[in-house]
Amino acid sequence: MNILSIQSHVSYGHVGNSAAVFPLQRLGHEVWPVYTVNFSNHTGYGQWGGSAIPASEVAAIIDAMDARGALAKVDAVLSGYQGGADIADVILATVARVKALNPKAVYACDPVMGNAKSGCFVHPDIPVLLRDRVVPAADIVTPNQFELGFLTQREVQTIEQTLRAVDAVFAMGPRTVLVTSVECPGRPEGTIEMLAADARGAWIVTTPHLPFKANGSGDVTAALFTAHYLSTGSAAEALATTTASVFELLERTHQSGERELQLVQAQEAYVHPKHRFAVRQLR
């Protein structure tokens, strides 16, 4: 599978394309990364070097790839954090071009805008842009529970509310939804859940909650789920495999005591994860 991944890049650590590309390659997929920023490290450190890449330059890179015939070979476009409306315009235009050349291609969007603990951490224009223009153009979306609530303007405290919000996303256009960081009443203490749904049903998986912040884990999750879903056609199977791989990556990172994901050290987990968590069908 050929995946065009339009995301940020950091030299030190693993977020954006620096988190998504290697796991996909380890699974045997061809990945063509296009960078939207070129930073020394993720911005959670408070200081970084480098700069955002102008939308015109991102578009020029994609134009040149098209001149090589690459866009016609793309099976999936993957995007994550979007720093501005101009980048969104480039991504949406690229998706349209890819689908015109290959109608079977899909667009997987991770609508990054914030989380329940930190709230929104992007420019105020971005969540509205994602809701009104970007998500409706996507085939697969991978919001966390907080982002799902904003996209649908609904309460998502319970499983029932989360499922209704997923249905609202389906009504916007996407065909497949992965909801990460699901924290609903009734789950066992010290756990966290992830939910996937498509036209065939909805499934949920529960894992231990590792008590630390792992920047880039959502980028890995979105990338792996997209690849597994497109390879298998099964939301349940993609959910199970993605959860197993990401949990092992997080477990190894937590045990290391390092702040950055142990992405390379955990590489076997992407292909042969040791853990297997039960997937429960909700409907």
Side-chain angles (χ1 to χ4, degrees):
M1 183 160 37
N2 299 321
I3 300 171
L4 175 62
S5 184
I6 309 173
Q7 300 195 58
S8 59
H9 168 76
V10 295
S11 295
Y12 174 73
H14 300 289
V15 299
N17 267 329
S18 303
V21 172
F22 177 66
L24 291 171
Q25 291 174 328
R26 189 65 178 81
L27 286 171
H29 302 297
E30 187 72 44
V31 189
W32 301 327
V34 174
Y35 303 147
T36 57
V37 306
N38 185 23
F39 287 165
S40 56
N41 49 268
H42 70 71
T43 58
Y45 285 98
Q47 292 181 319
W48 63 92
S51 61
I53 297 173
S56 59
E57 186 172 330
V58 176
I61 291 170
I62 291 170
D63 286 344
M65 293 176 68
D66 192 21
R68 307 284 83 75
L71 294 192
K73 301 175 184 178
V74 172
D75 299 298
V77 179
L78 176 65
S79 73
Y81 173 81
Q82 298 184 19
D86 52 356
I87 293 296
D89 289 338
V90 175
I91 293 171
L92 290 172
T94 301
V95 169
R97 291 168 71 178
V98 166
K99 289 192 170 191
L101 293 164
N102 177 14
K104 294 182 179 180
V106 303
Y107 172 35
C109 169
D110 185 10
V112 178
M113 62 182 78
N115 56 59
K117 293 180 180 178
S118 304
C120 278
F121 49 66
V122 297
H123 188 279
D125 291 344
I126 297 301
V128 176
L129 173 69
L130 289 168
R131 182 190 66 203
D132 294 347
R133 293 188 55 211
V134 180
V135 167
D139 301 290
I140 301 171
V141 291
T142 60
N144 60 38
Q145 193 175 25
F146 170 83
E147 292 161 344
L148 178 67
F150 180 87
L151 291 173
T152 61
Q153 297 293 286
R154 292 170 176 263
E155 287 287 331
V156 287
Q157 300 301 316
T158 67
I159 290 295
E160 292 74 18
Q161 290 173 337
T162 302
L163 288 171
R164 286 196 291 270
V166 166
D167 288 338
V169 172
F170 288 152
M172 296 167 68
R175 303 192 304 264
T176 306
V177 180
L178 175 72
V179 188
T180 63
S181 300
V182 176
E183 299 184 69
C184 294
R187 74 186 191 283
E189 186 176 356
T191 65
I192 194 164
E193 295 175 312
M194 190 151 55
L195 182 154
D198 62 9
R200 286 164 291 217
W203 297 264
I204 196 167
V205 63
T206 305
T207 70
H209 183 208
L210 298 171
F212 77 113
K213 184 176 182 179
N215 293 91
S217 59
D219 303 320
V220 176
T221 301
L224 290 179
F225 180 82
T226 297
H228 289 310
Y229 185 74
L230 295 180
S231 296
T232 66
S234 167
E237 188 173 341
L239 176 65
T241 307
T242 299
T243 302
S245 297
V246 173
F247 180 82
E248 190 169 334
L249 167 63
L250 292 176
E251 185 179 51
R252 187 175 188 121
T253 301
H254 185 50
Q255 291 171 349
S256 75
E258 296 291 334
R259 179 169 179 173
E260 296 291 344
L261 290 175
Q262 299 299 286
L263 194 80
V264 176
Q265 295 83 346
Q267 62 181 280
E268 195 63 20
Y270 315 135
V271 184
H272 303 295
K274 298 176 183 177
H275 300 281
R276 196 71 179 180
F277 299 98
V279 175
R280 177 167 56 95
Q281 187 162 8
L282 297 174
R283 63 184 186 192

